[in-house]
Each structure stands twice: as C-alpha cells, then as structure tokens.
Amino acid sequence: MKKIFAYIGIAACAAALLSSCGKSNEALVFDDSNAFVAFNSASESIDEDSADTLRIAVTLASVSGLNERISYTVKDSTAKEGVNYTLTDASKTLTFSSTERVQYIEVVPKADGTYTGDLIFTITLNPSANVQLGASSECVVKVNDIDHPLTPILGAYTMKATSFFNGPASGTVYILKDDADDHMVWIRGLYFSATGNTRTDFDVYGNVNDDLSKLVVPFGQTMVYKQGGQDVYSSGLTADGNIVDSGSVTATIDLATGTINFGTTYGFVLWFGSGSAFEAWAPGIVMVKQ
C-alpha cells in the first residue's frame, strides 16, 4: 500500500488581456436587424408530482423591443404530451413587445404512479421574418420520475469528516441517481472548498442493495476531472494513512435518521496518478440528509 504524499493544492487562476488594434476603437453596432430569440437555458427539469408549473424563460433580444409573435415546436421523446406533461398554451406561441422582452413556456407535469425513469422532450423555437434564432434555440425538458427505487436516499447531505490536511470539516454533498442503473448512485462533493462550493467533476459511484440499507463504494475510481492531463483517483484511506486501491467500503444507511455512516475502517483519498494527494478524509465519515 502507498502512503499519502505531501499535500499539493489545486489552484486555478485566469488572466484576461485586453488590447485594441487598428486606427481607433469603434463601438459595436447592434440594431433590430440583428434581433434574435433564444432560451435562457438549454435544459430544464421538474419532478413529475410537482404542484408547481415549470416556467421556461425565452428572451427576444432587440434594441427598441419588437412586437413579435414567435412560435415553437414540441418534439416528444420518452415523455409524451398529454400523458407525462401538458402545456398551458395550446397555440405554442409567445408574444413579445418593447415592455415584455421575456416570455415563458409553461409546462405542467403529470405523475403516472409507475417507475418509468426520467422522461424527456424537446422544445424548439421557430424563427420569424424579423427575428432570427440565437445560440440556444432548443431546450431539453426532463420530467423527473419520483418512483425511482432509490428516491428515499437521494438528495443533499451534510458531510462531517476529518481532513488529514485541514482537520475537522463539514460541507454539502449530494447523492444522485444514475441514469441507467437503478441501484447505482453518484456521490458528488467529496472534494469541497472551505466556502462550501461543491465540485461537479469529482463524482464517485456506489451500489445500493435492495432494502436500501447498504451503500458499497469501490476504491480505485477515476474522476472525470484531470489535472494537467493526468488522471485523478479516488481510493480508500486507512487511519494510519495507507492508500487502498482495490476493494471497497460499505456504508450503513439509516432511513429513519437519514444518515449514511461509512464506519471507522476506511476514509477516502483523492490523489494524482503521480502519487500526490490533494484531499484525504480520515475514517469516520458521516453524511446526514438535509
């Protein structure tokens, strides 16, 4: 087994160089011949049993504000209109003006009471004679299935642990479902900063048993994140600082208290392939559902 190497921090810095060239600086000119319409977001989601209506923002960008009607097309995929969702406006048209430059497509989800997995459909904006399409002319809408067998353990947790580098720490982690395997979850947030920011590229997976009492997390996983082109790994960590690349840790799930307890045998270490660790959680990790 390998011992933890000295801490190497990950620092990200960015610089922007502003310069001008040519005889003079000229302001960019934007007039209504350049007007365009676009979704504010390329994707949206809502739970199938939500009592709320999903309002999807669409903006018409223009100088003076145009009086314009923009139509949109809905293409079903796994989600079916009238079965899994409905639209509040059957005409599928948005009306913009100089005082109403943002309009909303409203989606009402419909629960079906069965486990189907998350369902999606796509909304596409149509150009008009006066308005072209912006970069985000499509929005993929996901209707989240609440009947997923792992629903009771999904969500945000407060993780309490002791870092080999920084001592006792507390931060938010998330237990997320896998899109393909209904007994697999992803733990997001094993690396979080002192300010509470949660990294989305350090997910590790685990497998949950049928009665939702155990979570098994294999060691030796490769992160999505890469540092300088080299892989980053999540492995086990013993109390005396040994890195364990194979095997797994089994956490106990207590549905009554919303607690996931990883026990006192193994923690986790996040490290570069070169052998340098940048975060190391000692055994004794506990996650409590928020």
Side-chain angles (χ1 to χ4, degrees):
M1 291 186 287
K2 299 179 290 294
K3 282 284 188 179
I4 286 186
F5 283 66
Y7 170 63
I8 296 180
I10 299 177
C13 56
L17 177 64
L18 301 178
S19 63
S20 61
C21 57
K23 295 182 179 180
S24 63
N25 293 326
E26 297 182 1
L28 293 175
V29 177
F30 182 90
D31 58 39
D32 283 343
S33 66
N34 304 120
F36 65 89
V37 64
F39 286 104
N40 290 23
S41 174
S43 62
E44 296 281 357
S45 66
I46 189 170
D47 291 344
E48 66 176 355
D49 69 336
S50 175
D52 298 325
T53 297
L54 175 62
R55 304 182 79 228
I56 304 173
V58 180
T59 298
L60 196 160
S62 65
V63 175
S64 59
L66 298 178
N67 295 317
E68 193 71 25
R69 290 171 62 85
I70 299 294
S71 65
Y72 56 90
T73 304
V74 176
K75 182 179 180 180
D76 284 344
S77 180
T78 50
K80 308 300 181 184
E81 185 175 1
V83 177
N84 308 112
Y85 71 94
T86 59
L87 302 175
T88 60
D89 182 10
S91 70
K92 298 182 175 61
T93 302
L94 301 172
T95 302
F96 296 88
S97 69
S98 59
T99 59
E100 295 179 310
R101 301 182 183 221
V102 179
Q103 292 292 346
Y104 297 88
I105 299 172
E106 296 186 334
V107 178
V108 179
K110 299 181 68 174
D112 54 19
T114 59
Y115 174 49
T116 60
D118 296 340
L119 306 174
I120 63 171
F121 65 96
T122 303
I123 305 175
T124 304
L125 300 174
N126 300 319
S128 70
N130 302 314
V131 178
Q132 57 190 322
L133 297 179
S136 296
S137 61
E138 287 191 348
C139 180
V140 177
V141 183
K142 180 187 292 185
V143 181
N144 297 318
D145 190 350
I146 63 161
D147 301 302
H148 193 285
L150 302 184
T151 294
I153 67 170
L154 303 177
Y157 287 74
T158 298
M159 171 175 148
K160 296 183 178 180
T162 300
S163 168
F164 267 68
F165 303 127
N166 303 307
S170 177
T172 298
V173 298
Y174 300 88
I175 305 295
L176 308 172
K177 63 187 175 185
D178 182 76
D179 290 336
D181 188 335
D182 62 13
H183 276 66
M184 179 185 288
V185 295
W186 293 88
I187 305 173
R188 173 168 295 173
L190 279 181
Y191 177 66
F192 51 78
S193 70
T195 58
N197 296 324
T198 301
R199 295 294 301 256
T200 61
D201 46 6
F202 285 93
D203 295 359
V204 298
Y205 72 86
N207 297 296
V208 182
N209 62 351
D210 288 337
D211 65 3
L212 309 187
S213 64
K214 302 293 181 183
L215 168 62
V216 180
V217 181
F219 297 144
Q221 297 187 38
T222 303
M223 305 290 96
V224 172
Y225 177 82
K226 293 183 183 296
Q227 174 67 15
Q230 63 177 318
D231 287 331
V232 176
Y233 302 96
S234 169
S235 295
L237 185 66
T238 63
D240 57 359
N242 285 313
I243 295 175
V244 182
D245 295 331
S246 60
S248 61
V249 59
T250 299
T252 301
I253 302 171
D254 187 334
L255 294 177
T257 62
T259 301
I260 301 177
N261 191 327
F262 284 84
T264 58
T265 303
Y266 294 113
F268 291 97
V269 57
L270 303 175
W271 58 287
F272 301 120
S274 59
S276 300
F278 58 91
E279 186 55 277
W281 300 114
I285 297 170
V286 176
M287 301 177 182
V288 181
K289 198 166 188 182
Q290 295 179 0

